[in-house]
Amino acid sequence: MEAAATACYRHPSYETYVRCTRCDRYICPDCMREAAVGHHCVECVKEGQRSVRQARTVFGGAVSRATAPIVTYVLMALNVLVYIGEVVRPEIVDRFAVLGAALTGPDGEQYYYRGDTYAGYELTGIADGEWYRLVTGAFLHLPPDASFGVMHLVFNMFALWNIGRAVEVQLGRARYLALYLLSAVGGSVLVYLLAPDTSTVGASGAVFGLAAAYWVIHRRLGRDMAAVNRFMAGFLLWMLISAAFTSWQGHLGGLLTGALVTYGLAFAPAKLRVWPVQLAGGLVLAGLFAVAVVLKTSALTGG
């Protein structure tokens, strides 16, 4: 006696005698998925994938088969695009650079601010509520007609390319982006606190933050630190040498912020290395930056 013909649960017109070894439904070749024993249907495969816990690094980032450092690419592209904008519209630099406080005169020029305002002169900068400068200045670089010119952008992008890829793989995209932005803001805040009358641009603060993260990551993973220590010593030496013509405050602020953030990601107790706690920690740090800016603004303006 022949068995009654059965139909695939997804394709009723297809006769089949094969069943899913998990849910026992009939499946045709198009719906079969190889399993350790027999075959599974499409729904059972999806259900199994949802129940499998995704592997994560010790820092909480998801382990992905994808090797492309997407966030690093995007950050580099943004810096290059902004630089092209600077070339087309040079006034972008004065409008969005990290500037604590200055007076803009009737002639459009900027003058030092010493706590007093005058008729026809307007307060400009972070002290006047332009907090966006804390972020935008990190995506600007010296214009082509400056002494360092386009090499400012080239050096920073070269460092971002070399360090960023390694850090992004370990932290995961979201944590890596948060680290980059917090380091950039940390550098800008220290510039505001220590040198509010200077105008600064560049991704150096964020890059120094990534360099600190690179060192902390290798230490946490128990890697050979000899080469990493030499690398970090080179960065610190460059910070000292470049203090004569760059914003060492921005470099130091980014370095300290990057080290603090990554140390928290790496050495916090395991139960705290989950995204809600890490997000809360990032928000607390951002809040401390905001408090520092408010206090400095009050000191500058007497408000």
Side-chain angles (χ1 to χ4, degrees):
M1 181 181 293
E2 293 185 1
T6 56
C8 172
Y9 81 103
R10 295 179 69 217
H11 305 99
S13 62
Y14 202 114
E15 293 185 2
T16 180
Y17 296 94
V18 179
R19 299 188 188 209
C20 170
T21 56
R22 187 172 181 178
C23 68
D24 209 36
R25 287 182 291 194
Y26 288 100
I27 49 178
C28 68
D30 289 340
C31 300
M32 295 178 187
R33 300 294 184 268
E34 291 286 344
V37 178
H39 298 83
H40 286 172
C41 66
V42 176
E43 274 70 19
C44 286
V45 170
K46 291 180 180 179
E47 181 63 29
Q49 290 175 341
R50 285 195 294 267
S51 64
V52 174
R53 188 174 181 179
Q54 187 175 24
R56 295 190 174 274
T57 68
V58 296
F59 310 99
V63 176
S64 174
R65 294 181 181 179
T67 57
I70 300 298
V71 177
T72 299
Y73 291 155
V74 171
L75 290 172
M76 293 178 66
L78 284 175
N79 278 275
V80 172
L81 288 174
V82 171
Y83 195 76
I84 294 174
E86 291 180 39
V87 174
V88 177
R89 300 284 297 274
E91 62 271 20
I92 289 177
V93 177
D94 288 337
R95 186 67 183 84
F96 295 98
V98 178
L99 175 64
L103 292 177
T104 300
D107 55 0
E109 296 295 325
Q110 291 182 347
Y111 301 88
Y112 286 113
Y113 172 73
R114 293 293 181 262
D116 297 316
T117 57
Y118 307 94
Y121 291 79
E122 296 182 356
L123 181 61
T124 301
I126 299 169
D128 191 42
E130 298 174 351
W131 285 41
Y132 57 83
R133 290 176 179 267
L134 295 168
V135 177
T136 57
F139 290 90
L140 297 167
H141 288 82
L142 293 175
D145 57 352
S147 57
F148 202 33
V150 71
M151 296 308 297
H152 186 211
L153 173 70
V154 172
F155 284 165
N156 278 337
M157 293 305 98
F158 179 75
L160 176 57
W161 167 254
N162 280 282
I163 306 171
R165 291 178 297 165
V167 176
E168 183 176 348
V169 167
Q170 291 296 332
L171 298 187
R173 292 170 181 169
R175 290 168 179 80
Y176 171 71
L177 179 60
L179 167 70
Y180 186 93
L181 294 176
L182 285 171
S183 297
V185 173
S188 299
V189 169
L190 195 61
V191 170
Y192 183 48
L193 295 179
L194 301 182
D197 56 356
T198 61
S199 177
T200 63
V201 293
S204 303
V207 169
F208 268 81
L210 296 183
Y214 183 78
W215 187 89
V216 174
I217 286 171
H218 278 72
R219 184 176 179 83
R220 175 63 178 84
L221 296 177
R223 305 275 175 80
D224 182 7
M225 294 299 293
V228 181
N229 287 336
R230 288 194 296 270
F231 159 81
M232 201 65 203
F235 253 80
L236 295 175
L237 180 61
W238 169 246
M239 186 172 69
L240 292 175
I241 295 175
S242 63
F245 52 90
T246 64
S247 173
W248 63 267
Q249 298 93 340
H251 294 175
L252 180 60
L255 183 80
L256 295 176
T257 302
L260 177 63
V261 171
T262 313
Y263 190 88
L265 294 175
F267 292 98
K271 63 181 180 181
L272 298 181
R273 291 201 298 272
V274 293
W275 75 263
V277 176
Q278 293 173 341
L279 175 61
L283 293 176
V284 169
L285 181 58
L288 292 176
F289 287 155
V291 170
V293 171
V294 169
L295 293 176
K296 183 63 176 180
T297 299
S298 178
L300 288 173
T301 61

